[in-house]
Amino acid sequence: DQAQPAATFAASDRPEAIADVEVAVFDGEAVLFDVNASMVHHLNAVPAATWLCCDGETTVADMLDELIETFSVDDPADIETLTAAMHDSLARFAAEGLLVGCPGAARVMLEPTPELADDGTEILTAHDNP
């Protein structure tokens, strides 16, 4: 089981994407490359649209309105599903350190060493300064 992201956002919050993230949008989806963390994130339609709204000016409430319009959602149950997906996306962006003021989890980069374990597999070591 995967733990749910902990960050929550109020309707008046204005999430802002960090600098140094390259974005490629195609076919309603997006790929983000976090330059500082050397991480790639593939986003389907709702997270991609949510990401594009993370400009530091658009409130969470306005994001939802934009998503409702973008995806032509009018059924209350579908709006509830879209709202949950948007909040989940924001929480995941925060957990990954992709939003200003939301440091992501520490990552340790591993590199193969020239040594092999007794079973022939490469030994991985962490950088001294992740």
Side-chain angles (χ1 to χ4, degrees), residues 79-96:
I79 291 173
E80 187 175 317
T81 300
L82 182 62
T83 301
M86 180 194 73
H87 279 280
D88 182 61
S89 298
L90 290 170
R92 290 182 189 279
F93 298 155
E96 290 294 327

Side-chain angles (χ1 to χ4, degrees), residues 6-17 50 53-64 66 86-87 90-91 94 99-102:
T8 57
F9 292 84
S12 61
D13 288 345
R14 299 172 189 270
E16 181 178 355
T50 302
C53 291
C54 292
D55 58 11
E57 296 179 14
T58 305
T59 65
V60 171
D62 289 339
M63 282 183 187
L64 181 59
E66 285 188 40
M86 180 194 73
H87 279 280
L90 290 170
L99 298 177
V100 172
C102 299

Side-chain angles (χ1 to χ4, degrees), residues 27-29 44-50 52-53 63-75 78-79 82-83 85-86:
D27 295 332
E29 298 187 349
N44 65 20
V46 172
T50 302
L52 295 174
C53 291
M63 282 183 187
L64 181 59
D65 290 342
E66 285 188 40
L67 294 178
I68 289 169
E69 183 177 330
T70 297
F71 295 105
S72 302
V73 176
D74 55 10
D75 179 81
D78 292 339
I79 291 173
L82 182 62
T83 301
M86 180 194 73

